[in-house]
Amino acid sequence: MIQRIEKARKWMLIILFFAFIFTVFFYLTVSADIEVSDVEKRELAQNPDLSIENVSNGEYMNDFESYFLDQFPGRNIWLKSYLQYQQMTNKTYIFDYYVSDSNWIIPKPSYSKPSTHIDKAVDNLNEFAAAMKDEGKEVYFASLPHKVNTIDILPSYIEEGTGIEKKDYFFSKFNQKSIPTVDVGKEFKEEYTDDELKERYFKTDHHWNMFGAFEGYQKVADLLSENSTYYTNMNEDDSDYELKCYNDKQFIGSYNNQLYLTVDATGEKICHMLPKDNLFDNYQITWNGKERTFKQVYGTDIFRDNDPIDFGGLYMNNTAEITIENPAVQEESRLLILKDSYANPIAFHIAQHFSNTTVYDIRYNDDQILTEYMADKDFDVVLFLYNDAMLQGESFRFSTPMED
């Protein structure tokens, strides 16, 4: 009797195993492959080509393994369940993110030391600025405060990262005498308490919110107004702007997205601060060569009444090039903004002070060399808007091609 039970159990396991294999195979065969993971922001592996050559050289099996893992039935559900299990067991880091009791998310600190990569970035910047000044152009650098270098939410037993150390090293090599600079992060920390700083950032995203971004804009505007001969005063007072918030909408923060939206994002400040005179609506905008209105490129999730929304839809998505003609400024003044995503909430605010503004993201122009692009343009002012966690890499490549 016992032997029969054991035999039946073995057969049951075999049947279940093959049933599982058949179910997965059937799913992969009949279902359409998912091309992109919205959570991971990457392309997923697709069904590899089955050929004698690919099988013989082992490439097919390697590619099929990646395909199987990426297209596994209910993949996102399994991953989300695994994350929730980790949260229940009080893991310090979940997918290399720390989540506080009040639902603040911050990545695991970086402990890398300043390196030759920063040296190269600063050398490129100093050389580029010197060349621009020789051509009669004004050059300014605004260091925008990344959340990881500004918000302190990690418990005391976790060693502080080296972000500030690397920023200080960057500025120690930086020729600030020839390039007027504002370190917005340093000023923020001098002016605000930890709790006040938190009011200026999203809990579940890696960016500042409108409150932090608008104050950052004001500090950049002060830098330009004090130094630039091309700057035009426009909407200088807080009273010139209207604050509108849309806190009834669900916000998908970049960090939370990596955690499959398992963190409660209640309380995020989903706001705009726009001029009361509707100046931005009068801009003539070209987005990657196509004419657009202001509301077609800024706040698209808001103006289309989308829900949920993310940072790009709340403000502006990253893109290669935007040109803005501002009829409110009569005297010609041409500004080039070199930026990362931290500038997205405020690029249009800065553009109101110049007759023509080009917003250019080097990361999305990997087929162009910046100095060659600028050769047939007649910019008067070059303004860097880089967050202080991005002080090396391709965004500091100005006169040579991008590396593959």
Side-chain angles (χ1 to χ4, degrees):
M1 181 69 176
I2 296 177
Q3 288 181 339
R4 279 201 294 250
I5 293 174
E6 281 295 321
K7 188 176 181 180
R9 187 162 59 180
K10 288 180 181 179
W11 275 106
M12 181 63 69
L13 290 173
I14 293 172
I15 292 170
L16 289 173
F17 173 75
F18 281 103
F20 172 77
I21 295 297
F22 174 79
T23 301
V24 172
F25 176 78
F26 179 77
Y27 173 87
L28 294 176
T29 301
V30 302
S31 63
D33 291 341
I34 301 171
E35 295 185 0
V36 177
S37 170
D38 293 331
V39 173
E40 299 170 76
K41 304 296 183 185
R42 69 175 179 88
E43 294 181 355
L44 299 178
Q46 303 299 294
N47 195 0
D49 292 330
L50 179 59
S51 67
I52 295 175
E53 181 182 356
N54 286 347
V55 172
S56 61
N57 62 21
E59 185 175 330
Y60 177 80
M61 290 307 299
N62 290 333
D63 290 346
F64 187 83
E65 181 180 355
S66 299
Y67 169 69
F68 180 80
L69 292 174
D70 277 0
Q71 304 292 340
F72 190 84
R75 177 177 181 270
N76 286 358
I77 297 174
W78 288 106
L79 286 171
K80 187 171 183 178
S81 298
Y82 174 69
L83 284 170
Q84 291 171 331
Y85 168 74
Q86 286 194 312
Q87 290 172 340
M88 291 172 57
T89 57
N90 292 321
K91 294 281 188 180
T92 300
Y93 294 114
I94 303 171
F95 280 14
D96 286 338
Y97 290 96
Y98 174 79
V99 182
S100 76
D101 291 339
S102 53
N103 292 329
W104 281 86
I105 308 175
I106 205 82
K108 186 177 182 179
S110 169
Y111 299 108
S112 63
K113 294 295 184 179
S115 67
T116 55
H117 296 295
I118 294 180
D119 291 333
K120 182 63 175 176
V122 178
D123 289 344
N124 288 348
L125 178 59
N126 288 334
E127 181 180 337
F128 172 80
M132 293 300 102
K133 292 180 80 69
D134 287 343
E135 295 177 10
K137 295 176 173 57
E138 299 177 356
V139 181
Y140 303 94
F141 191 94
S143 175
L144 309 181
H146 195 288
K147 180 179 176 179
V148 297
N149 290 334
T150 309
I151 301 297
D152 183 15
I153 65 167
L154 292 172
S156 58
Y157 62 81
I158 296 179
E159 182 182 358
E160 185 177 333
T162 55
I164 297 299
E165 179 184 349
K166 285 183 281 194
K167 184 178 84 166
D168 291 343
Y169 179 82
F170 176 91
F171 279 113
S172 72
K173 303 286 185 177
F174 180 67
N175 189 355
Q176 297 184 53
K177 291 183 179 179
S178 62
I179 310 174
T181 304
V182 59
D183 184 349
V184 178
K186 182 179 179 181
E187 294 190 13
F188 269 20
K189 289 210 165 189
E190 290 172 350
E191 295 171 7
Y192 302 121
T193 65
D194 287 343
D195 287 339
E196 288 171 335
L197 286 172
K198 288 180 180 178
E199 293 294 318
R200 289 156 174 81
Y201 285 83
F202 288 110
K203 296 193 300 181
T204 61
D205 193 272
H206 69 282
H207 294 101
W208 51 11
N209 58 30
M210 194 70 245
F211 295 94
F214 186 75
E215 290 187 36
Y217 150 69
Q218 291 177 313
K219 293 183 182 299
V220 174
D222 288 343
L223 170 72
L224 294 171
S225 65
E226 292 169 5
N227 293 279
S228 178
T229 58
Y230 297 96
Y231 180 90
T232 297
N233 290 329
M234 198 75 65
N235 291 321
E236 296 293 301
D237 299 325
D238 289 354
S239 60
D240 294 327
Y241 295 86
E242 181 180 9
L243 176 68
K244 286 187 178 180
C245 295
Y246 309 88
N247 296 331
D248 58 324
K249 294 184 178 292
Q250 179 187 357
F251 182 73
I252 300 178
S254 56
Y255 289 158
N256 201 12
N257 205 36
Q258 292 296 307
L259 298 177
Y260 289 79
L261 304 181
T262 56
V263 178
D264 183 6
T266 302
E268 295 282 35
K269 296 178 174 60
I270 306 170
C271 303
H272 283 167
M273 184 83 81
L274 300 177
K276 293 178 180 178
D277 62 7
N278 297 316
L279 170 62
F280 297 175
D281 290 323
N282 297 324
Y283 285 162
Q284 298 171 28
I285 300 169
T286 303
W287 175 284
N288 290 335
K290 297 179 181 179
E291 293 185 3
R292 293 287 187 265
T293 65
F294 171 66
K295 292 179 180 178
Q296 287 176 321
V297 297
Y298 189 95
T300 53
D301 276 350
I302 297 299
F303 298 123
R304 294 172 185 169
D305 199 26
N306 293 341
D307 194 9
I309 65 175
D310 60 14
F311 182 82
L314 177 58
Y315 301 115
M316 182 176 73
N317 284 301
N318 289 321
T319 194
E321 180 186 24
I322 309 168
T323 60
I324 305 165
E325 293 185 24
N326 176 18
V329 175
Q330 300 300 315
E331 187 172 346
E332 186 175 44
S333 51
R334 305 181 69 85
L335 168 69
L336 172 64
I337 295 177
L338 301 175
K339 64 91 183 176
D340 60 36
S341 60
Y342 260 73
N344 291 358
I346 58 173
F348 287 97
H349 294 70
I350 295 170
Q352 69 183 311
H353 302 290
F354 299 86
S355 66
N356 298 83
T357 298
T358 296
V359 182
Y360 189 92
D361 195 323
I362 292 176
R363 300 169 301 172
Y364 292 83
N365 286 282
D366 54 3
D367 60 339
Q368 284 186 329
I369 297 175
L370 177 64
T371 50
E372 293 180 357
Y373 164 80
M374 296 178 63
D376 61 349
K377 306 292 192 297
D378 191 22
F379 295 115
D380 302 305
V381 182
V382 180
L383 170 64
F384 286 88
L385 296 176
Y386 282 0
N387 77 75
D388 59 17
M390 190 186 76
L391 300 177
Q392 63 186 55
E394 298 299 334
S395 291
F396 287 89
R397 188 179 295 278
F398 310 122
S399 58
T400 56
M402 291 278 191
E403 293 182 349
D404 294 332

